[in-house]
Amino acid sequence: MNDAPIVVPLSDEAAVVIEQDRVLFTKMIGGARVATDMIGVPLAAVMKVEPGVLRDRVKYRTPEHTASHPMRFEVPAGPVVWLRAAYDILIPTSDPRGLAAEIDRRRHRVARYGGVASSVVWEKNPALRVAGPDGFEPAVPDWVPTVPDIGKKWEASAPAPFGPLSPGRPSSEPVVPASLPYPESLPVVSETLSNGVRFSVSVRWTFLGRDPVPAGVVSETVPTSSLSEPLAVWHVVRAGTLRGTHGPIRWCAVDGRTEIRTELVDGPALWLWGPVQEWLVCTPRAAELAEEVRLRQGVGMRFPLSSDLGAERRTWRNLSSTRPVDTPAGRALPPVPEWAPTAPTLVPREAWS
């Protein structure tokens, strides 16, 4: 199991995505997901996952903070998966028992190892997980509804057993960077990939797009025609080897027009993973680019923008696992969390080394 994103279309312009540790409604343009830093619904907050049948169509509006954009759509009568968090989530699918089992498997992994926003969820409601013989497990409090709010329109189906949990990562230590240069001395490093998309690293950001990144980009002004992620968001920065050729990864930039496609081909690749994003960049310069990213992560930690809306401080505020750690040896980059994947989720586990 590699916890690959599962994209379930809801309409031509909307889909629900089941990630390793969260569920997110997302806008689709031409079949490509629109980039967003929205977390969605952490699986730590999901109290029930149940397959069933919807007897009549239901008009649905995405709850606040669960979608990249506010959405309204219709869930047709037929097989669905019901998720209960603070509200109901209905996912239409031709295989409700299989999808429910897969979501429940990921929910159990989150209870065992953790996940995005899980510490916040369990701090507010510790009753959502309990200790089991093999570690923590999800719990279903007595007050959780037994049927969705739609009531008589719902008919439950027998659940299917879920498969083995994907492994957690061994514990790691915070990393205190060696001597670091000043931000102003670092140039933008770019690599043009095989299909013309550029991967670029500035002092505070990583980019995927076709437009060049101007030298000295250190503020919130980032190209809307590119994918962009703060360097502070990446927990895993690793060069490796991808074996075989796999389907491309397609995104739509936040401008709503520009498609960004990364080709997954045999050879060296740079794997970047964070709580709300994952990139796999195939390039012969993977090892060199990994070092450039790590260097700039240290620089950003040591010399963050003073504004709370700056790339570093905003990331640290929104994603607690990315915050620096103060150690006797000095301020350190945080350890990779136990719940991070051990290999890219975008390709089969056996394809990466």
Side-chain angles (χ1 to χ4, degrees), residues 90-130:
L90 300 173
I91 305 175
T93 172
S94 60
D95 181 18
R97 297 180 73 242
L99 181 59
E102 176 58 17
I103 296 172
D104 212 27
R105 183 187 70 82
R106 299 184 186 203
R107 189 170 73 105
H108 276 74
R109 184 188 189 275
V110 168
R112 176 81 55 85
Y113 299 116
V116 64
S118 61
S119 60
V120 176
V121 171
W122 295 327
E123 181 180 353
K124 291 182 177 179
N125 196 340
L128 293 187
R129 70 170 182 167
V130 295

Side-chain angles (χ1 to χ4, degrees), residues 21-22 38-46 65 110 114-125 128 235 273 275-276 317-322 337 339:
D21 51 10
R22 62 190 179 123
M38 184 71 69
I39 291 176
V41 183
L43 285 179
V46 173
H65 305 307
V110 168
V116 64
S118 61
S119 60
V120 176
V121 171
W122 295 327
E123 181 180 353
K124 291 182 177 179
N125 196 340
L128 293 187
H235 275 307
W273 179 89
V276 294
R317 183 188 67 227
N318 293 342
L319 300 167
S320 60
S321 63
T322 66
W339 44 271

Side-chain angles (χ1 to χ4, degrees), residues 115-201:
V116 64
S118 61
S119 60
V120 176
V121 171
W122 295 327
E123 181 180 353
K124 291 182 177 179
N125 196 340
L128 293 187
R129 70 170 182 167
V130 295
D134 299 317
F136 283 104
E137 300 174 351
V140 182
D142 295 339
W143 43 266
V144 176
T146 57
V147 296
D149 292 340
I150 54 175
K152 294 181 179 180
K153 293 183 179 182
W154 168 259
E155 179 180 346
S157 302
F162 58 84
L165 308 187
S166 55
R169 297 182 69 94
S171 59
S172 60
E173 297 296 325
V175 177
V176 179
S179 58
L180 294 169
Y182 288 105
E184 295 79 6
S185 67
L186 291 173
V188 173
V189 176
S190 293
E191 170 74 352
T192 301
L193 308 180
S194 60
N195 62 348
V197 170
R198 297 171 185 253
F199 172 76
S200 301
V201 187

Side-chain angles (χ1 to χ4, degrees), residues 222-270:
V222 295
T224 60
S225 60
S226 299
L227 303 183
S228 58
E229 292 292 337
L231 285 164
V233 83
W234 302 121
H235 275 307
V236 177
V237 180
R238 179 168 297 178
T241 301
L242 184 63
R243 291 183 294 275
T245 299
H246 308 270
I249 305 300
R250 299 174 59 219
W251 290 91
C252 182
V254 294
D255 64 3
R257 300 186 306 272
T258 308
E259 180 175 316
I260 309 297
R261 179 192 298 254
T262 54
E263 306 290 342
L264 304 183
V265 296
D266 192 276
L270 171 63

